[in-house]
């Protein structure tokens, strides 16, 4: 349950960054932030696939 909560929180953080990105430069910054979050998720024990799905879900939600 805790891992699911962590994944949801990370997805929400990435999604907020993508939603706030109203210029190409800010969108690039959101992409870089998402990559850092994804790497942290992998370090925390998530698979690469789970982390990438969270990143894509966040990007598509904006």
């Amino acid at each position: 349950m805790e891992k699911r909560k962590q994944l949801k929180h990370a997805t929400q953080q990435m999604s907020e960054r993508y939603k706030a990105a109203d210029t190409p430069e800010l969108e690039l910054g959101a992409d870089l932030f998402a990559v850092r979050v994804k790497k942290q998720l992998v370090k925390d024990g998530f698979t690469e696939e789970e982390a990438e799905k969270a990143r894509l879900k966040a990007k598509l939600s904006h």
Side-chain angles (χ1 to χ4, degrees):
M1 186 62 143
E2 183 64 34
K3 287 186 74 113
R4 185 181 305 160
K5 190 174 182 179
Q6 181 182 2
L7 190 61
K8 183 178 179 181
H9 180 49
T11 303
Q12 287 174 338
Q13 285 183 314
M14 290 185 283
S15 180
E16 288 172 7
R17 288 283 180 116
Y18 280 117
K19 286 178 186 173
D22 56 358
T23 66
E25 292 83 10
L26 291 176
E27 189 165 340
L28 179 60
D31 283 333
L32 294 173
F33 176 76
V35 168
R36 286 196 312 264
V37 171
K38 179 181 161 185
K39 286 181 180 181
Q40 185 60 49
L41 287 171
V42 171
K43 283 182 182 179
D44 290 345
F46 291 92
T47 66
E48 181 78 24
E49 184 178 323
E50 289 171 322
E52 181 63 15
K53 281 183 182 179
R55 187 189 71 78
L56 290 175
K57 182 178 178 183
K59 188 167 187 168
L60 296 174
S61 73
H62 80 285

